[in-house]
């Protein structure tokens, strides 16, 4: 049975064309910074951008007759997967031309920024041109919102196509009845919090350029910074608390943010995921505090950074590697869990962990309860517990299998097992925290695996698996 035929391929190529155009336009934005600081790298932004826009226009115009064809779920997933990969390559070309790193390093860095992973290849980010620092931050901001979400808000007019592509980017929550209205409200909320973060950082004494870039990186739960020491460079508790606030905002569902005004703040207090996230932050911080000698601010900041999958830090990886094993275990657990669905975070996400746990609890209650007893356990929105718990269990299994696969390969190359596991969880969960600084000595085959980890982590695995299945079928013929 053929799952992908010629018509499917042409539909995918035609609709990918619009996203290629959008990705090309994104690469032109940093030119403004380049001109302000007179860095003379304009041509290196124009070349990758022109390639993407030209190919996108060709795909769109040459296959115009397929514009009326309905985009099915499998189409949406493949388009989404290819668009993220294409964005990583095109944006990577910019880094390759401007900074002179290898093409694999450039794509790794680009994919890390776009997916909000925040792991950097550069040993000295402060030596980078301002336009590149801005570009890395802007990539994270775009990636946190979602490349597809942003581009379809401007370039895709069909409501059914918008809906399919929106869902293909691992998004389900609807703020408004229509997908288009939901996207517009999401962008509005994201923009407001971004402006809020920039203002707070400026008031705390951070330079304007740093404020813009750091806000882009933190609200998107990306975690890269314009400084080698990350947020720790500023050595300012006010800036640390602002960063913690922005990380929590970024890890909270957009649907909850939308309801804040209407419910006078009750939407956050009543949200199950938010309550669980805060509880985990408090419990984890206390456990680390009573079992180590780490400074309280370092504990709180790192715990929030881990569970929100931001990866921002105020201590270097060389300091963190010396922390107690139990502390590193807690941090890795938080990096696995992540924040709320419908937010900018990576990892497994809280709702899956909650539903999976409820499913286990329901099965246990069935065993110890009298025969024929009704075991009611409700989920938000009245969803079927068995179905959602099964889906969550399947996803969690796939997630751990990918971690196991990548971890084994990194160990095969002779890297420390604990450092490797921490790094693998960080890549797969789009987190960015490191111990032992593995990224700086990573062999190129492992960087390719890392790109795959970050790619699948951001798209929540299934779209990538569908895409690989489609390619397998095409080449099998």
């Amino acid at each position: 049975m053929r799952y992908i035929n010629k018509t499917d391929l042409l539909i995918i190529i035609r609709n990918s064309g619009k996203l290629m155009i959008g990705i090309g336009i994104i690469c032109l934005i940093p030119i403004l910074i380049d001109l302000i600081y007179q860095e003379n790298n304009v041509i290196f932004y124009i070349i990758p951008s022109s390639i993407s826009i030209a190919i996108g226009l060709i795909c769109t115009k040459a296959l115009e007759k397929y514009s009326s064809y309905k985009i099915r779920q499998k189409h949406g997933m493949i388009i989404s997967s290819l668009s993220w990969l294409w964005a990583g390559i095109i944006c990577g070309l910019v880094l390759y031309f401007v900074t002179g790193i290898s093409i694999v390093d450039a794509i790794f860095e680009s994919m890390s920024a776009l997916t909000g992973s925040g792991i950097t290849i550069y040993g000295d980010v402060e030596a980078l041109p301002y336009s590149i620092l801005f570009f890395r931050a802007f990539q994270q901001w775009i990636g946190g919102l979602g490349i597809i979400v942003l581009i379809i808000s401007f370039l895709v007019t069909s409501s059914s196509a918008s809906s399919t592509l929106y869902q293909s980017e691992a998004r389900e929550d609807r703020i408004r009845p229509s997908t288009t209205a939901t996207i517009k409200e999401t962008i509005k909320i994201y923009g407001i919090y971004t402006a809020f973060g920039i203002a707070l950082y400026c008031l705390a004494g951070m330079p304007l350029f740093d404020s813009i870039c750091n806000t882009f990186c933190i609200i998107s739960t990306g975690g890269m910074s314009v400084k080698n020491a990350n947020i720790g460079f500023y050595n300012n508790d006010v800036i640390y608390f602002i960063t913690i606030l922005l990380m929590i905002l970024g890890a909270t569902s957009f649907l909850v943010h939308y309801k804040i005004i209407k419910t006078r703040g009750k939407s956050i207090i009543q949200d199950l995921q938010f309550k669980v996230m805060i509880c985990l932050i408090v419990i984890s911080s206390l456990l680390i505090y009573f079992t180590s000698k780490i400074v309280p601010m370092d504990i709180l900041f790192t715990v929030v950074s881990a569970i929100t999958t931001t990866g921002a830090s105020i201590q270097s990886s060389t300091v963190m590697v010396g922390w107690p094993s139990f502390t590193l275990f807690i941090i890795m657990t938080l990096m696995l869990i992540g924040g709320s669905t419908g937010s900018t975070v990576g990892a497994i996400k809280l709702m899956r962990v909650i539903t999976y746990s409820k499913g286990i609890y329901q099965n246990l209650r069935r065993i110890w309860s009298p025969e024929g007893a009704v075991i009611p356990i409700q989920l938000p929105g009245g969803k079927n517990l068995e179905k959602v718990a099964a889906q969550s269990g399947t996803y969690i299994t796939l997630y751990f299998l990918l971690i196991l696969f990548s971890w084994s390969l990194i160990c095969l190359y002779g890297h420390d097992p604990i450092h490797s596991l921490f790094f693998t969880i960080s890549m797969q969960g789009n987190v960015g925290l490191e111990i032992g600084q593995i990224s700086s000595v990573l062999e190129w085959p492992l960087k390719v695996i890392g790109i795959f980890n970050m790619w699948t982590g951001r798209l929540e695995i299934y779209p990538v698996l569908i895409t690989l299945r489609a390619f397998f079928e095409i080449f099998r013929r």
Side-chain angles (χ1 to χ4, degrees), residues 173-450:
D173 291 344
R174 293 283 185 91
I175 294 174
R176 301 287 292 275
S178 75
T179 301
T180 304
T182 294
I183 291 171
K184 288 180 179 178
E185 289 295 337
T186 300
I187 293 173
K188 187 188 298 182
I189 293 166
Y190 200 55
I192 290 170
Y193 282 136
T194 301
F196 176 66
I198 294 170
L200 286 180
Y201 275 140
C202 285
L203 289 172
M206 187 182 289
L208 178 60
F209 181 81
D210 291 18
S211 298
I212 293 170
C213 291
N214 283 325
T215 301
F216 282 0
C217 297
I218 300 302
I219 198 67
S220 63
T221 62
M224 285 182 178
S225 178
V226 295
K227 302 298 181 184
N228 293 329
N230 208 279
I231 301 299
F233 168 86
Y234 302 100
N235 194 27
N236 185 319
D237 284 347
V238 175
I239 288 177
Y240 296 164
F241 279 116
I242 291 171
T243 305
I244 289 170
L245 173 63
L246 292 178
M247 287 192 287
I248 292 173
L249 288 175
T252 304
S253 170
F254 282 109
L255 181 60
V256 173
H257 291 309
Y258 177 70
K259 292 179 178 179
I260 284 177
I261 296 176
K262 290 186 176 181
T263 62
R264 296 181 182 178
K266 292 181 180 178
S267 62
I268 283 190
I269 299 171
Q270 295 172 349
D271 182 62
L272 176 61
Q273 293 184 93
F274 182 81
K275 288 189 287 188
V276 171
M277 180 168 61
I278 297 302
C279 286
L280 286 172
I281 290 171
V282 172
I283 293 169
S284 300
S285 297
L286 290 174
L287 282 173
I288 295 174
Y289 177 76
F290 287 115
T291 57
S292 71
K293 297 180 180 179
I294 303 171
V295 177
M297 177 55 78
D298 290 357
I299 295 172
L300 178 61
F301 192 98
T302 306
V303 164
V304 174
S305 182
I307 197 168
T308 61
T309 71
T310 305
S313 61
I314 55 178
Q315 283 294 352
S316 67
S317 60
T318 53
V319 171
M320 290 177 62
V321 74
W323 287 357
S325 299
F326 183 67
T327 297
L328 297 179
F329 170 77
I330 292 175
I331 293 171
M332 283 192 285
T333 303
L334 295 174
M335 290 196 300
L336 284 168
I337 295 171
S340 303
T341 55
S343 67
T344 65
V345 302
I348 293 170
K349 295 186 176 64
L350 282 164
M351 188 50 71
R352 285 197 181 96
V353 176
I354 292 168
T355 54
Y356 187 58
S357 301
K358 281 178 176 281
I360 294 173
Y361 178 62
Q362 186 186 53
N363 287 333
L364 290 174
R365 284 188 61 185
R366 280 176 177 165
I367 293 171
W368 70 56
S369 297
E371 188 174 346
V374 178
I375 313 298
I377 298 181
Q378 286 190 325
L379 288 176
K383 294 180 180 178
N384 181 275
L385 176 62
E386 282 81 4
K387 183 179 179 180
V388 177
Q391 290 172 344
S392 298
T394 302
Y395 180 82
I396 291 170
T397 301
L398 283 172
Y399 194 89
F400 276 103
L401 284 174
L402 285 174
I403 288 175
L404 185 63
F405 171 72
S406 301
W407 180 32
S408 65
L409 290 180
I410 296 175
C411 289
L412 183 63
Y413 273 80
H415 295 284
D416 180 85
I418 300 301
H419 297 179
S420 300
L421 178 59
F422 196 101
F423 183 67
T424 305
I425 292 172
S426 188
M427 287 194 300
Q428 187 64 47
N430 307 132
V431 183
L433 290 173
E434 277 192 84
I435 56 172
Q437 202 61 33
I438 287 182
S439 62
S440 62
V441 295
L442 205 63
E443 294 79 2
W444 76 263
L446 297 181
K447 289 174 184 173
V448 174
I449 297 297

